[in-house]
Amino acid sequence: MNPFRLCSGLRFLGYFMVVVVIAIVAVSYYAVVVVTWGPHLLAGGFRSVASFAILIVFHVLLVLLSWSYLRAVLQDPGSVPDNWKVSPELNVEEGILVTLPDNDGPENSGTGGRRREVGFCRHCQNGKPPRCHHCSVCQRCVLKMDHHCLWVVNCVGARNYKFFLLFVIYTFLETTLDTLVLLPYFIELFKESKHRSLSPTNVAIVFLACVLNLAFALSLLCFVVMHASFVSSNTTSVEVYEKKRSVRWRYDLGWRNNFEQVFGSTKALWFFPMFSKKDFESIPALHGLEFPARLDVEE
């Protein structure tokens, strides 16, 4: 019996997390748009202008957040093609780092053994491209796997990492905005009941929304900083341990090239969950099978 097969049950927990995301968005929307700032749109004066500006930013971030979330959930992170084998020709001139499998050594990273750029997965019975790892939850190998995320019911890999990062960034910005605009009403909750402008039901909703958004904003701040460091060094969560053991990280091509390996080179699309056709044709890392690497780093 393979105990790791039990991890596949975590996928069902992920569907529950999707419901949680929808519920938090619904509570925040009701608290910000319906209860607090929406009613001021027709009030006139500065408060009306401020309300209009807040609601515009709120809805723009909500659209970008939702769009990125759907792409992260629905986009396949990248699977190894059936009977995949490394090309016998090594493209050294373009810096494509490919090494043949070593069947005598350890298979993966993080176990104290030397990581093979190309290996063989005993679970999938298939070849493993560079930076590919087997996910015990999805029960398959994922290209440039970062981690399995319960919040998106999916693995985060080569083909949806950008969408996941944008979801995290826009969620952080949205929850920070919600916290700031709900804060005056949150403070008002501690005044005597006769001075409150909200009904008891709306008081409870504003309190819940403010607390939830503050908690998520603080937790996501750490997540944004962590993944910013990963992108700047062209590393994944799985590769952190291996990177610490090396003097020079072989995939570190400089911060700009590292950024383009994830977000593409088309600046107009950096902040949207999509890629241009040009990027797909010119950046092999977006496909997850080949990765440019430093030629001055010894294996």
Side-chain angles (χ1 to χ4, degrees):
M1 178 180 177
N2 182 6
F4 291 102
R5 288 191 175 275
L6 299 176
C7 295
S8 59
L10 293 176
R11 290 183 63 85
F12 294 100
L13 178 60
Y15 296 117
F16 171 75
M17 302 307 288
V18 172
V19 176
V20 172
V21 170
I22 296 174
I24 294 173
V25 170
V27 170
S28 300
Y29 191 93
Y30 184 82
V32 174
V33 178
V34 179
V35 176
T36 57
W37 290 94
H40 298 303
L41 284 175
L42 302 178
F46 174 78
R47 200 172 184 86
S48 179
V49 175
S51 178
F52 180 77
I54 288 172
L55 293 180
I56 287 295
V57 176
F58 175 89
H59 283 91
V60 168
L61 289 175
L62 181 60
V63 169
L64 292 172
L65 182 161
S66 302
W67 185 10
S68 302
Y69 183 68
L70 288 175
R71 291 302 308 271
V73 172
L74 300 177
Q75 176 64 50
D76 190 285
S79 300
V80 183
D82 294 335
N83 301 317
W84 179 87
K85 293 181 180 179
V86 62
S87 173
E89 298 180 358
L90 305 184
N91 196 343
V92 178
E93 293 183 357
E94 296 183 6
I96 304 299
L97 180 64
V98 182
T99 57
L100 296 176
D102 185 344
N103 296 326
D104 296 329
E107 174 193 327
N108 216 325
S109 63
T111 58
R114 178 175 176 271
R115 179 177 177 273
R116 306 303 174 188
E117 283 303 310
V118 175
F120 184 80
C121 180
R122 294 172 295 178
H123 305 288
C124 300
Q125 294 296 303
N126 197 10
K128 290 174 63 175
R131 314 182 77 177
C132 176
H133 296 271
H134 186 85
C135 176
S136 299
V137 178
C138 296
Q139 295 294 317
R140 61 168 177 163
C141 284
V142 176
L143 301 178
K144 195 189 174 184
M145 178 179 173
D146 188 88
H147 69 289
H148 184 92
C149 181
L150 292 177
W151 289 98
V152 300
V153 205
N154 200 0
C155 261
V156 177
R159 299 177 186 177
N160 68 345
Y161 185 46
K162 174 186 176 180
F163 310 148
F164 171 78
L165 288 182
L166 289 177
F167 164 62
V168 171
I169 292 171
Y170 288 134
T171 303
F172 167 70
L173 294 177
E174 182 74 281
T175 53
T176 301
L177 174 68
D178 293 353
T179 302
L180 293 176
V181 300
L182 290 175
L183 189 59
Y185 296 90
F186 181 81
I187 296 174
E188 186 182 285
L189 301 182
F190 297 95
K191 296 180 180 179
E192 295 182 11
S193 58
K194 62 181 180 180
H195 297 296
R196 293 175 186 168
S197 58
L198 303 177
S199 66
T201 301
N202 288 338
V203 165
I205 292 175
V206 170
F207 179 84
L208 178 62
C210 191
V211 171
L212 285 175
N213 280 278
L214 176 60
F216 273 93
L218 293 176
S219 60
L220 286 173
L221 175 60
C222 300
F223 217 63
V224 168
V225 172
M226 179 181 70
H227 278 279
S229 68
F230 290 164
V231 172
S232 65
S233 60
N234 201 355
T235 315
T236 65
S237 300
V238 178
E239 295 170 338
V240 169
Y241 175 76
E242 181 185 0
K243 179 177 178 292
K244 289 181 179 179
R245 295 185 302 158
S246 61
V247 177
R248 285 186 176 180
W249 181 235
R250 55 184 167 276
Y251 296 118
D252 189 352
L253 309 174
W255 69 268
R256 183 177 180 83
N257 288 329
N258 293 340
F259 182 86
E260 292 181 350
Q261 294 289 300
V262 176
F263 287 86
S265 59
T266 307
K267 296 179 181 179
L269 299 181
W270 279 353
F271 303 105
F272 299 98
M274 59 172 64
F275 292 104
S276 67
K277 181 179 178 180
K278 176 185 175 183
D279 286 340
F280 267 122
E281 293 174 350
S282 61
I283 304 178
L286 298 179
H287 297 276
L289 292 173
E290 294 181 333
F291 300 93
R294 300 172 63 102
L295 298 178
D296 59 346
V297 178
E298 297 182 358
E299 282 296 295

